[in-house]
Amino acid sequence: MNIRTKLAEGIYLTCLPAQKFKTSLLSAQFIVPLRRETASATALLPSVLRRGTVTCPDMGLLSARLDKLYGARIDATIRKKTEAQCVGFVASFIDDRFAPGGKKLLEPVANLLGELICDPATERGRFVPAYFENEKVNLVNAIRSLINDKRGYADSRLLQEMCAGEPYGVPRLGTVETAEAIQPQKLYAHYGKTVASSRLELFYCGSAEQSRLKHALLSAFSTLPRESMADVPVSDFHIPASEPRYFTESLDVTQGKLGMGFSCASEDHIALMMGNTLFGGSSNSKLFLNVREKLSLCYYASSVYHRQKGMITVSSGIEFDDYQRASDEILAQLAAVQNGNIEDWELEAARSSLLNAYASMGDSQSRMENFYLGQIVTGREETPEDLAAQVRNVSLDRILRAMKTVQLDTVYFLQGKEAAQE
Amino acid sequence: MKQTFYERIGESVHRETLPNGLQICIVPKPDYAKKYAFFATRYGGMDTRFQLGGVWRDTPAGIAHYLEHKMFDTKEGNALQKLAQNGAEPNAFTSNSMTGYYFDSTSHFEENLEILLSFVSIPYFTEESVAKEQGIIGQEIRMIEDNPDWQLYTRMLRALYQVNTSRTSIAGTIESISHITAETLCDCHRAFYTPSNMILTVVGSVDPVHVVDLARRILPREGGPVISRDYGDEPSAIAKPETKLSMEVSMPQFLLGFKCRPVDNGEDYLRTSLLGDMACDLLLGESSPLYQRLYSQGLIDSSFGGDYEIMPGAAHLFAGGDSKDPHAVAAEIQKEVERVAAQGLDPDFYEQVRRALYGSYLRALNSFENIAVSLTEGYFHGYDPLRFPQLFDSISSQDILDFLHENVSADRAVLSQIVPGD
């Protein structure tokens, strides 16, 4: 069975039938290139749209409508997937089998989703000025507040420095400057262009029959303008630095944050995925067992593999004075993986960890939605089962060959203000 | 073994109590690939003063959490590694009144369960391994100290309560954990990790008889005595009305807390927590007039929300988020409480919110962890959480007004704030 089908021009539907959940999930996502100039405007769209539609022009009416649908939720979402922004809404509502009084919820929720996207509340040919101003301030505040979560802040700063000049270095919500510069007319024009020319990916997981689902969605999106469809952007590999680059920043914090970025020249994705799991991708990884358990240098030290960019990044929280020890140890553990200093149980644990994640994917609607969206954005068609089969077959030799291409690229350190003054 | 069916929510639970006093709950989940086990003791961050062998003992703040970290050590090494080879990634958490250990896995479930039950019931500490953990937990404490949400919440509890041990930080402080020794950890394990103080919950497609047999075989034959605990004799007055801390944040954050009446165990516990949740939604949830007014005025953003919480000898209703003017929002919340008390609740709005909350209780059953944690809390506090549909039927808007009248008043309110540093 092909789970993804073309519903209409530029509209695709990924449908995963399931009877076991209490709720159904319905998601509508536009795929937009991530660019410095437009990132903030694109990020602003779902929250302005979420303020009101022609038939429910304010938040009170909208939330009353959702409450009456047994607390259906429609959340505005903005995700950075490689070098694309995915913006739209994710709806979750009680599955028909559990709705008291046999009420059908799919059709009314799909309709509301369609209205939010196609029929926003407007005044004189643009978004309602109060909604625009409100949400613009909220966006600026949200960008500024990234600093409140120091781990997330440090992770994002590492990517900005490492990928300066590449779209991947653009933060998910853009920057304070680009957000503050958004004009009402321009945003409305940007909205028109985005909905008319970006691909719309719909995702459904629940108990409804395919034909009923398609009918509901075609009707909900019947007025969506479809003009010349822009291609989904392809993201390029990170351009490695010739020499490692070092960045330090000082804030009023009690714990230091160490971020290390590596470039990977290999395109053997599965081998790198396994290599990363061995290195820092699980609680049995080299980083966890050595930097944390053996040397007690930190509470967390973990790594992430950025498949489409050919990158691995490490994130850790340490004492300011342990900077050198921690970075030496992280590099030593990478070398251990590259030199094949890996015990059998470590290899099997890494493999089992990935296999367990793929096997249990179907137990979570939101994980499936996120997984398939990631696949679609990168033009991949493997299912979790396909990836599991590849993981089963990848040899240690392949893993080592791929991991030998991993090189230190960028180091970011967030330290305290006192440390900076010494 | 007793099986209870909950038709309205499509669930069933097998329950068994072993001769050693261990409670076992099994929730069948056909069609799911993963199986989840949760093994918990009624022992948390608040249980620092208790009676053992007729003597009152005072233990260092953070000891339950420290014990949780050290339980993963086994004679053979570390339980994480054994479970990892079977694709299970175990984890644990310590809350104010419980410590829970869990894993999910898609294969080797019974083998994994055996490992879980063994490592949690057999302590293996050395002075050296206990000392080594100081570094790791020290970094965990530093990490949460830099977290504004944690600071805001902890400081609110300290303003609300004069003596109740909810004032104690679950992880303790760098100073308090320096007093923890292998011997104290052993004493606490002996006191609280007895089968009669614990519950095992399994969610997934398993053979209930096998689970019960396995627990019977692995765990000690004898239960333990009931341990008296001292949470402090809390007066009804608050400790102080305001608390404020300056941190590296982008805008002020606040929580307004109301000290509520402590709640007895039994079905009234569930009923009161439902009333508290409803009261929050009616007063200040997304659909409430107050939320919409403050949101349109730019005084709150989507970070705004509230909750009602019951702890041993304590209960509080609180609300907050980011705001440029926390005092103004706090005053508006107080006014809304008075307005509702004077004017009562609009029947349509009450019905709308009740429906939405029912939907969110139902949605929570998608999560295995949620099911296990709520069955555990229900067991510790003497109620059945899956009876929520019956309780929804039994409450009225008058109950909400009575709840507000008894629990929410201006003279028992505290305001906790985090403000940007200079």
Side-chain angles (χ1 to χ4, degrees), chain A residues 20 22-23 60 67-68 70 92 134-135 145 148 150 252 254-255 284 293 296 299 319 345 356 363, chain B residues 9 11 31 33-34 81 84 87 106 132 139-140 146 248-250 253 287 292 295 352 355 363 366:
Chain A
K20 64 189 179 188
K22 303 289 182 217
T23 53
D67 282 353
K68 285 173 189 158
Y70 288 93
S92 149
N134 238 213
E135 296 307 330
S145 74
N148 299 356
K150 303 298 178 289
D252 182 12
T254 62
Q255 184 181 61
N284 301 286
E293 294 291 306
S296 304
Y299 173 67
E319 287 289 329
W345 79 264
N356 189 51
D363 292 344
Chain B
I9 54 175
E11 298 290 349
D31 307 330
K34 75 173 174 194
Q81 289 161 28
T106 50
K132 215 182 60 177
Q139 285 313 310
E140 187 177 5
D146 275 341
E248 190 88 59
V249 293
S250 60
Q253 302 182 14
S287 317
Q292 280 152 35
Y295 192 101
Q352 171 194 323
R355 214 183 241 213
R363 174 178 291 116
N366 277 338

Side-chain angles (χ1 to χ4, degrees), chain A residues 318-371:
Chain A
I318 56 171
E319 287 289 329
F320 305 131
D321 294 343
D322 285 332
Y323 168 78
Q324 201 55 50
R325 271 182 81 201
S327 43
D328 288 351
E329 185 62 20
I330 290 167
L331 292 175
Q333 293 310 322
L334 175 64
V337 175
Q338 291 174 322
N339 297 331
N341 189 357
I342 295 163
E343 291 177 38
D344 288 348
W345 79 264
E346 290 181 287
L347 185 65
E348 286 326 299
R351 213 187 291 274
S352 308
S353 160
L354 289 174
L355 291 177
N356 189 51
Y358 289 131
S360 61
M361 182 94 69
D363 292 344
S364 160
Q365 293 172 314
S366 55
R367 274 179 64 203
M368 280 193 283
E369 190 261 354
N370 199 39
F371 171 82

Side-chain angles (χ1 to χ4, degrees), chain A residues 70-91:
Chain A
Y70 288 93
R73 296 188 57 97
I74 297 189
D75 295 320
T77 52
I78 307 148
R79 279 173 283 186
K80 174 174 160 180
K81 295 256 170 209
T82 71
E83 295 183 340
Q85 261 175 315
C86 304
V87 293
F89 300 96
V90 176

Side-chain angles (χ1 to χ4, degrees), chain A residues 19-23 47 50-51 58-61 63-73 75 92-94 98-100 103 134-135 138 141 144-151 250-257 281-284 288-289 292-300 317-319 322 345-346 348-350 352-353 355-356 359-360 362-365 367 417, chain B residues 7-11 29-35 65 69-70 73 78 80-90 104-107 132-148 174 246-251 253 286-288 291-292 295-298 300-302 322 348-349 352-353 355-360 362-363 365-366 368 421-422:
Chain A
Q19 300 283 339
K20 64 189 179 188
F21 301 106
K22 303 289 182 217
T23 53
S47 33
R50 183 67 179 71
R51 290 299 295 273
D58 67 47
M59 284 170 77
L61 293 165
S63 40
R65 191 157 148 193
L66 288 165
D67 282 353
K68 285 173 189 158
L69 298 169
Y70 288 93
R73 296 188 57 97
D75 295 320
S92 149
F93 49 97
I94 296 187
F98 298 103
K103 209 170 147 124
N134 238 213
E135 296 307 330
N138 287 344
N141 287 339
R144 289 212 170 103
S145 74
L146 294 174
I147 202 168
N148 299 356
D149 166 20
K150 303 298 178 289
R151 180 178 183 169
S250 304
L251 288 176
D252 182 12
V253 291
T254 62
Q255 184 181 61
K257 305 284 182 201
S282 84
S283 55
N284 301 286
F288 189 93
L289 292 180
R292 173 179 148 134
E293 294 291 306
K294 196 164 152 206
L295 299 178
S296 304
L297 285 169
C298 63
Y299 173 67
Y300 72 90
I318 56 171
E319 287 289 329
D322 285 332
W345 79 264
E346 290 181 287
E348 286 326 299
S352 308
S353 160
L355 291 177
N356 189 51
S360 61
D363 292 344
S364 160
Q365 293 172 314
R367 274 179 64 203
K417 281 195 167 144
Chain B
E7 270 175 39
R8 288 167 68 179
I9 54 175
E11 298 290 349
K29 284 279 188 181
D31 307 330
Y32 280 81
K34 75 173 174 194
K35 293 159 189 165
H65 171 255
H69 272 239
K70 291 324 291 172
D73 289 2
N78 192 307
L80 284 170
Q81 289 161 28
K82 274 168 84 179
L83 285 161
Q85 289 164 69
N86 290 337
E89 262 193 54
D104 67 60
S105 68
T106 50
S107 60
K132 215 182 60 177
E133 203 71 18
Q134 304 260 354
I136 299 171
I137 297 180
Q139 285 313 310
E140 187 177 5
I141 292 171
R142 289 251 187 270
M143 180 180 80
I144 59 176
E145 280 173 353
D146 275 341
N147 179 340
I174 298 217
S246 151
M247 285 181 82
E248 190 88 59
V249 293
S250 60
M251 71 190 286
Q253 302 182 14
E286 261 182 71
S287 317
S288 68
Y291 185 99
Q292 280 152 35
Y295 192 101
S296 319
Q297 291 169 357
I300 58 169
D301 58 26
S302 59
D322 297 350
D348 289 342
F349 181 55
Q352 171 194 323
V353 168
R355 214 183 241 213
L357 190 64
Y358 182 81
S360 77
L362 195 66
R363 174 178 291 116
L365 298 176
N366 277 338
F368 285 20
D422 37 29

Side-chain angles (χ1 to χ4, degrees), chain B residues 204-243:
Chain B
S205 178
V206 297
D207 182 338
V209 177
H210 282 199
V211 171
V212 171
D213 286 348
L214 202 145
R216 208 190 295 267
R217 182 160 58 78
I218 302 290
L219 295 174
R221 275 158 192 266
E222 304 289 327
V226 174
I227 303 287
S228 309
R229 305 132 197 260
D230 182 6
Y231 300 111
D233 194 5
E234 179 66 27
S236 65
I238 56 166
K240 59 174 177 180
E242 280 211 35
T243 169

